[in-house]
Amino acid sequence: MDMVMKLGTSSSVVIFTKSSCCISHSIETLIRSFGANPTIYELDTHPNGKQMEKVLMELGCQPSVPAIFIGKELVGGANEIMSFNVRGKLKQLLITANAIWV
């Protein structure tokens, strides 16, 4: 768990993903559209990916990817990010995390 939390809090926006996950790609594209530059960890290519995926599931990410940290906190997965976006709160969350400047 320590490795996931350390990586998740290493940048203002961190996305744990798999290279073949189209939803993860969509979430990354959405976050980039605001001007943020997320750090991406692809679990299927990372040497400790299986262990990290298990930890993300233990933290409540179902499915395990995408798992998004913003402002050093686990925000959740695609549903949570889309909910923030639909409610107009994603941009403010990224600003508060110093991921973007306006």
Side-chain angles (χ1 to χ4, degrees):
M1 184 172 300
D2 290 341
M3 180 191 304
V4 169
M5 296 307 290
K6 183 177 180 181
L7 292 174
T9 59
S10 65
S11 180
S12 55
V13 181
V14 177
I15 303 173
F16 291 93
T17 183
K18 290 186 179 177
S19 59
S20 61
C21 179
C22 61
I23 298 297
S24 294
H25 176 74
S26 298
I27 294 299
E28 177 184 349
T29 301
L30 173 65
I31 289 172
R32 286 186 188 278
S33 75
F34 286 97
N37 188 23
T39 300
I40 308 295
Y41 293 102
E42 292 185 344
L43 299 182
D44 55 342
T45 61
H46 194 282
N48 296 318
K50 294 244 185 237
Q51 295 166 327
M52 292 165 48
E53 184 174 9
K54 183 179 176 188
V55 169
L56 288 168
M57 291 176 75
E58 289 172 1
L59 290 172
C61 296
Q62 301 288 338
S64 59
V65 295
I68 301 98
F69 283 76
I70 298 177
K72 303 190 183 302
E73 291 189 28
L74 177 61
V75 175
N79 289 343
E80 289 79 14
I81 293 298
M82 292 307 294
S83 177
F84 278 119
N85 190 48
V86 167
R87 293 182 293 152
K89 296 182 183 260
L90 182 56
K91 182 177 180 180
Q92 186 57 49
L93 189 61
L94 292 169
I95 291 170
T96 302
N98 291 320
I100 60 173
W101 299 268
V102 288

